[in-house]
Amino acid sequence: MFYRSSRACGVVFLLVSFASMALSQDSPSPESSKSGELSLQVIVVRSAEEAQEVVARLNQGDDFAQLARQESIDPTADQGGYLGLLNAAELRAELRDAMRGVGPGQISPVVHIPSGYAILKITHNEAGTAPKDADRARIFALAATGTVKYVQDVDGLAEAEGALLRFPKPASWNGDPKNVCKLRKQSLSTMIDRLKNQLTPGSQQNPLASRPPVDTMQMHFALAQLYAYLGDMDSAIASYRMSYGIALSDVQSAIPQMEEALGVSYLHRSQMENDVYRLPGEKCLLPIPPGSRYQKPADSEKAVEFFLMYLDQKPKELEVIWLLNIAYMTLGNYPDSVPAKYLIPPATFVSKENTGRFTDVAFATGLQSFSTAGGVIVDDFENNGLLDVVTSAFDSCGSMHYFHNNGDGTFSDNTAKAGLSDQVGGLNMVQTDYNNDGCIDILVLRGGWEFAQRKSLLRNNCDGTFSDVTVASGLAEPTSSQTAVWVDINNDGLLDLFVGNENSPAQLFLNKGDGTFEDIAVLAGVSGDGSSFSKGVAAADYDNDGFVDLYVSNLDGRNFLYRNNHNNTFTELALKAGVPGSNKGFATWFFDYDNDGLPDIFATSYFASVDDTVRTYLGLDHNAITLKLYKNLGNGTFRDVTSEVGLDKVFMPMGGNFGDIDNDGYLDMYLGTGNPSYASLIPNVLLHNHDGKYFTDVTFSSGTGELDKGHAIAFADLSNSGNEDIVAEVGGATIGDSHALRLFRNPGNGNDWITVKLIGVKTNRVAIGARIKIIVENEGSGTRSIYRTVGSGGSFGASPLQQHIGLGKSAKLLSLEVDWPVSKTHQVFRNVEKNQFLEIKEFADQYAKLNRKPFHLRGPQENASAFPERATQQPAVKN
C-alpha cells in the first residue's frame, strides 16, 4: 500500500493507495433536492443481511429512530439516525441515486457504502428530535465530500518539508528567515544524497536487498518528487521511470498512478522547454489557442501517450481526461486529434458574455518577477500619486520585490534600494500605516501550510526605504500564518492587527500607540478553539453599530464571525448569523455585492480536486462543497444566496480579490486557483457581477484564464486611466513551479468612474474602515447608490487603499458621502465631477482634486515621463 500524507499549499489530504483509485461516476441529484434542504435519518449496519432484516422490521412498522439507536453503527445512532437539515446534493453519489423518487416518510433501497450498508428516510424536522443543522463531522461517511477525489501529488513539497523537519536544527532556527533558507538548502541536498546512496546497488547504505519491491519503488518515487520540487525534471522523470518499471513487473496495482505521474511530469517539462513559465503569454491561458502551440512538442507527445495508457484502464477519470485535452492544446491538435470518448467539448471554453479582453503586459512594463507562490500589494508607497507593486515568495530563499512605478508605463525593480533584498520567504503580505505617519508600511506573513516562522513588520521610512521593526514592535513570535487584517477594534485611531494562524490560537495585537503591540486575543475571545486552521480573515462593521467585526475562514471546520462588543471583546456568532462556511474555507472577504449599504460575506471553499473543478465546467454534480455568498439581511443575520447568484461552483481558489472590471459600480471577482501538484492545471476565474443579481464567468472571453497556480490578486488602476487592471501573483509552492507575475491590462470601457483617497485625522491615517456612499444618476436608468469601505480587499492579495469606484454609463455624480468611524464625522460633497482623483481629509469641508494624468502600460518606448501630483481646492456643500 502506498499512502502519502501531505499538508501542502493547497489542502491536507491523504493520497489513496495504488489499489484503491477506482473511478466513480456521479449521477444526477434526486428530485427531492429541488426543494432545497431535507431532514434525513439513516441506519448503517455491517452486512447486507443485517440491512435486509432492518428493512423488514421497518416494513412491519418498527420505529426508524428506535432501530437506529439499537442497530446502527453510524455516529448518528445516538440521535435516532437524524442527519439534520442538508441538501441531498451533499450526499454521496450512490446515496443520491438511491434517494431518487423517495418521498417523505418513505425509505430508500439498501445502499452499500464504505462504512457499511445504509438505509435512508426522509422525515420531518420535529422540534426536540432532529438537530437543526447537519454536523458535517458526524456525517462524513455519508457526505459527498467523503468521495471527493483529490488531485494526484506530483510536486515533492511534502518530501521537501519532511526533509527540513527531520534535519538537525539549532534552537530558535525559525526566528530568522535567512536561517530558514540556509537550512532548507542543506536539508534538500542531504536527503537527495541519502536516497541516491540507498538506491545504489552494493552501497553500505542500501537497506533494500531484503525488502519487497514496493519499498524500492517508493524510494525511487520519493527521489523523483524531490527532483521535481527543485525543477530538475530530467532527473525526476528518470526516477519516476525507475519506479514505473518496478510497478510494471512487481506492483501492478501502482501502474495507473505511475502513468499519470509520468504524464504530468512530461507535460510539466514541456512547459519548461517551451518557456511557458517565464514568458507565458497566451501559451498559459485556457483555452490555449492553436497559434500558441508549443514549438518543442516532444514532451507533450509523451504526456499524451501516458495519459492515454492510463485511460485505457480508467476511461472515466476526469482529472486525466482534463489533462489529456490540455496536452493536445499544447500541440495545437485540440479538438481534432482528441479521441472522441475523451474530448472535452470546445463549447466548455466559451464564455457566455464578453466584457473585453485583457492583455498581459507585465514583462513589457518591467514587472519581471519570476518566483514561487507569494503575496502582492499594489499601493502608493512613495506618496507621488503612482501605484507601486510589491511581491513576496513562498520559497524560503525567494526575495521580496519592490517595483517602483516610473509614471511612464514602466516599472523599475528597486528592491535593493528599498532595503528589501534580505526579506526572504513570505506567502502573503498586507499593507497599513500602523504608526499614522502618512507612509504605507508592510506586514509579511510566513509559515502558512508549513512550520511556524517569524513575521516581518516593515516600517516605511518615507524616503523610499523600509526598516524591519518586527522585534521592537512585539510581533516576532513565530507562527504558521498567511492571513491577517489591520483593523481599529476600539475606535481609538490606532490600527490593531488580527492574525489567523494554523493549528494554533489566533492573535489580536492591540496597537499601543508607541510602535509596539500587545496580544489580547484570549481576553478578547477571538483566539479560536486553539486548533483551527485559519486561511482567511476579513473585517467590517456588518451590523452597523459603529464598531468593526471580524470573520475568519477555516480549512478544517466552520468559520467564525466575531461581533464586536465595544469593549475590546468579541462574541462568536457564525452559526447564529447563518455564515458557517463550507468547512473547507480559504480566501474570504466582506463586500457589498448588491449595493444595498450592507457588507455581505464571500467565503471560498477549497477542495484540492481537479475532478470536482472539471465537474463545474462540464455541468456535472459536485461532491465538494461550493463557494458561499452570504447576503446581509440587516438584522444581524445573513442568507445563503450562493445558488441564486450562480456561484454554486467548485474552483480550487487559493487567492482572490474584488474590483470593478467595467466601471458599472458593481464589484466583480477574480480567483487564483490550483494546489501544489503539477497536475493542478486549472484556470484562474473572472466572475462578472450583473447589477448585484448574479455572476457570470467571463474567464475565457477576457483572456484571464491563467492555467498555472494562482495566488495573491490585486485590482488597481496602475496607469491612472480610470480602469482597474488585475495583478496576479502566479507560481506554485515548489521551486520547480516558479512563474512570471501577470499584469492583465484592462481593455477599457465607456463607463465613468471616480477614485477617492481618504486621509484620516482622528481616524487612522489611511482611513481603513471609513465608508463611502455615492449617489449617481445614469442616463435612462434613474438614481442609485454605490457603497465602498476602505480596505485592501480580499484575504490573499492587497489592492490599493484609495478607492476606485465605477459609476456606470453617462453618469452624473449627485453626491459623495464619507462616514468616519472614530470621529463619527459625516461629510457630504455635491456636484462632484466624474472621472477624476480626489483626496478628502477627515473634518474638511472641501476636497482636493488630484491631477494624475493617465499613461499607457505598453513598455518603456511608448510613453513620456512621470506626472507629479498637484492639488487644487474644490468647495464642498455641507448639510
Side-chain angles (χ1 to χ4, degrees), residues 89-100:
E90 296 182 61
L91 294 172
R92 296 175 63 94
E94 57 265 52
L95 294 176
R96 295 201 297 266
D97 284 345
M99 292 299 294
R100 184 181 300 279

Side-chain angles (χ1 to χ4, degrees), residues 575-589:
L575 288 178
K576 185 176 180 179
V579 291
S582 65
N583 285 295
K584 285 289 183 183
F586 207 143
T588 189
W589 54 75

Side-chain angles (χ1 to χ4, degrees), residues 184-249:
R184 171 80 72 185
K185 291 179 177 179
Q186 292 175 345
S187 64
L188 277 169
S189 176
T190 299
M191 180 58 70
I192 288 173
D193 289 343
R194 182 178 301 165
L195 283 170
K196 288 169 63 178
N197 287 334
Q198 290 177 341
L199 289 167
T200 300
S203 169
Q204 293 182 351
Q205 298 182 35
N206 186 344
L208 300 173
S210 61
R211 302 290 296 275
V214 67
D215 289 353
T216 305
M217 181 189 70
Q218 291 188 53
M219 290 187 68
H220 280 295
F221 191 90
L223 181 59
Q225 292 281 84
L226 289 172
Y227 284 132
Y229 174 90
L230 292 169
D232 181 357
M233 296 310 297
D234 292 346
S235 298
I237 288 172
S239 291
Y240 284 132
R241 278 193 168 276
M242 292 293 292
S243 188
Y244 181 48
I246 297 172
L248 288 172
S249 60

Side-chain angles (χ1 to χ4, degrees), residues 257-273:
Q257 182 174 350
M258 288 311 310
E259 287 173 345
E260 182 180 357
L262 279 163
V264 170
S265 299
Y266 275 111
L267 186 55
H268 192 75
R269 189 168 73 174
S270 184
Q271 290 180 291
M272 287 182 160
E273 287 291 310

Side-chain angles (χ1 to χ4, degrees), residues 53 89-90 98 118 153 241 256 270 297 471 581 614 841:
E53 290 178 10
E90 296 182 61
D153 181 16
R241 278 193 168 276
S270 184
V471 175
V614 175
K841 288 188 177 180

